[in-house]
């Protein structure tokens, strides 16, 4: 997306003169000449792309201007440092969500939703079947599964993205007294979290699982995901896609639980109601979510290349 009056690319992966990075997942970052990001995202961005990347830090709630546009980063609740972007021009307000969630998090700042005239909303789980169960129930299921696996003398292995999900799950496990060893790539990211003030208390995996520990590695299929010396294991994937019963087989794991860092269908609808926009642009999700919004009386459409250039 581009805020043209500000000359600012937003979550554009192609290199741009000026780019806002809502969070440091690789599908939202580019090697921009200058990037704007929250302090935590700036640290993670440099960790992933290199320390020489030029970043201007934009703390939550502290506006800055580009041309005639006033811009403010607000917490998105997706992962550490993730941000919504509020753009204000004259008497018009536009809110871009990027990836976000409304449910509480142990490692991400809770989302803040201001009202706006225009809403650009990420809608990964914009189908009614994606209504996640109560997080506490999923956490209990995970902890019981881990306890049973350890009791059987096997190693619980959790597959998780190196940034965000891995730290959130580690924080949960350590809080419940279950020690964690992490793949070196995940552990390096966790060190950045800790440098930003999020205490995790995890260890790097060093060739063998320690007694009673959970081992965290990358999703199956990602480069370097395999770890040696694990012995007999039970593999677990934590993802919103686990609502679909076929996910376990598709991911090649023993168990898949619906634990997500994205908003589910109900959270998307709640966001629309709280922001109360006059118009809505939908991105990164099923076309059917636009139909859901239209059926509820909203002025909604997909975010297409030409219309988005006229947003501001």
């Amino acid at each position: 997306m581009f805020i043209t009056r500000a000359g600012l690319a937003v979550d554009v992966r192609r290199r741009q003169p000026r780019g806002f990075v809502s969070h440091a997942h690789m599908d939202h970052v580019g090697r921009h000449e200058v990037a704007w990001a929250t302090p935590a995202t700036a640290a993670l961005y440099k960790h992933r792309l290199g320390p020489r990347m030029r970043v201007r830090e934009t703390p939550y709630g502290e506006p800055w201007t580009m041309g005639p546009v006033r811009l403010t980063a607000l917490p998105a609740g997706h992962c550490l440092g993730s941000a919504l972007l509020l753009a204000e021009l004259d008497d018009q307000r536009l809110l871009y969500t990027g990836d976000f969630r409304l449910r509480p998090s142990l490692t991400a700042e809770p989302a803040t939703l201001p009202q706006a005239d225009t809403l650009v909303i990420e809608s990964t789980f914009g189908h009614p079947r994606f209504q996640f169960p109560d997080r506490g129930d999923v956490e209990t299921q995970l902890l019981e599964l881990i306890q049973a696996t350890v009791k059987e003398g096997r190693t619980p292995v959790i597959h998780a993205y190196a940034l965000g999900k891995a730290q959130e799950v580690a924080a949960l496990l350590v809080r419940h007294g279950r020690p964690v060893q992490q793949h070196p790539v995940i552990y390096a990211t966790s060190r950045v979290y800790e440098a930003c003030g999020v205490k995790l208390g995890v260890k790097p995996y060093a060739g063998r699982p320690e007694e009673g520990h959970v081992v965290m590695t990358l999703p199956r299929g990602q480069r370097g995901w395999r770890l040696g010396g694990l012995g007999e294991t039970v593999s677990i994937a934590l993802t919103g896609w686990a609502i679909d019963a076929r996910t376990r087989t598709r991911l090649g794991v023993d168990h898949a639980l619906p634990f997500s860092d994205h908003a589910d269908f109900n959270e998307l609808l709640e966001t629309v109601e709280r922001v109360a926009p006059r118009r809505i642009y939908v991105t990164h999700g099923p076309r059917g979510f636009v139909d859901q919004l239209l059926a509820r009386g909203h002025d909604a459409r997909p975010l297409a290349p030409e219309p988005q250039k006229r947003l501001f």
Side-chain angles (χ1 to χ4, degrees):
M1 188 183 97
F2 293 84
I3 300 178
T4 53
R5 296 287 297 277
L8 181 67
V10 180
D11 281 352
V12 174
R13 296 182 66 185
R14 302 185 309 278
R15 182 176 173 85
Q16 302 292 325
R18 302 195 295 185
F20 177 77
V21 178
S22 70
H23 65 286
H25 284 150
M26 294 305 294
D27 59 337
H28 286 255
V29 306
R31 294 181 175 274
H32 306 307
E33 294 178 23
V34 184
W36 276 257
T38 65
T41 294
L44 291 162
Y45 177 78
K46 289 182 177 181
H47 170 70
R48 306 197 103 181
L49 296 185
R52 298 182 66 180
M53 301 302 298
R54 294 179 61 196
V55 187
R56 295 189 181 181
E57 296 185 2
T58 58
Y60 292 131
E62 296 186 12
W64 77 100
T65 58
M66 286 186 172
V69 183
R70 185 175 188 260
L71 299 158
T72 309
L74 300 168
H78 176 59
C79 63
L80 180 66
S82 60
L84 316 172
L85 183 62
L86 177 65
E88 299 173 277
L89 177 63
D90 299 328
D91 62 345
Q92 294 295 304
R93 290 159 60 94
L94 178 146
L95 181 67
Y96 167 81
T97 69
D99 292 343
F100 76 104
R101 68 173 162 195
L102 303 184
R103 280 161 288 121
S105 168
L106 297 175
T107 57
E109 305 82 351
T112 299
L113 292 177
Q115 293 193 336
D117 304 286
T118 300
L119 173 65
V120 180
I121 186 170
E122 178 276 338
S123 63
T124 297
F125 292 115
H127 189 284
R129 73 175 179 274
F130 290 107
Q131 299 183 38
F132 301 147
D134 179 79
R135 171 161 163 160
D137 293 341
V138 178
E139 291 176 356
T140 297
Q141 188 178 357
L142 173 63
L143 293 167
E144 290 177 349
L145 175 58
I146 289 171
Q147 176 67 24
T149 299
V150 171
K151 188 174 182 179
E152 293 167 0
R154 297 188 285 177
T155 299
V157 176
I158 292 178
H159 295 268
Y161 291 116
L163 192 166
K165 185 72 66 65
Q167 291 73 34
E168 180 73 8
V169 176
L172 167 67
L173 296 178
V174 171
R175 173 176 287 195
H176 285 274
R178 180 62 64 185
V180 175
Q181 295 171 270
Q182 293 183 330
H183 185 290
V185 171
I186 298 176
Y187 180 72
T189 305
S190 294
R191 292 289 300 276
V192 180
Y193 264 61
E194 293 195 320
C196 291
V198 179
K199 301 305 179 185
L200 297 173
V202 297
K203 302 177 182 178
Y205 183 78
R208 66 176 182 85
E210 298 184 25
E211 184 177 355
H213 282 60
V214 175
V215 174
M216 303 189 76
T217 189
L218 303 168
R220 287 178 62 94
Q222 280 196 9
R223 183 177 179 180
W225 69 271
R226 295 182 185 275
L227 292 172
L230 287 171
E232 192 173 358
T233 65
V234 172
S235 57
I236 307 165
L238 300 173
T239 171
W241 301 111
I243 289 291
D244 185 337
R246 298 168 294 182
T247 297
R248 181 183 66 82
T249 301
R250 179 172 61 82
L251 297 181
V253 295
D254 298 312
H255 302 274
L257 304 181
F259 190 105
S260 179
D261 49 15
H262 286 263
D264 74 353
F265 181 75
N266 289 332
E267 289 172 276
L268 294 174
L269 295 181
E270 179 183 344
T271 298
V272 170
E273 294 305 315
R274 287 170 59 180
V275 176
R278 294 204 300 265
R279 67 195 68 84
I280 304 167
Y281 292 91
V282 175
T283 183
H284 292 97
R287 175 63 176 82
F289 186 60
V290 172
D291 298 329
Q292 291 284 340
L293 294 176
L294 291 171
R296 289 167 169 78
H298 298 289
D299 178 359
R301 65 205 71 183
L303 182 66
E306 288 308 312
Q308 74 89 25
K309 292 178 182 178
R310 298 192 296 271
L311 290 179
F312 260 41

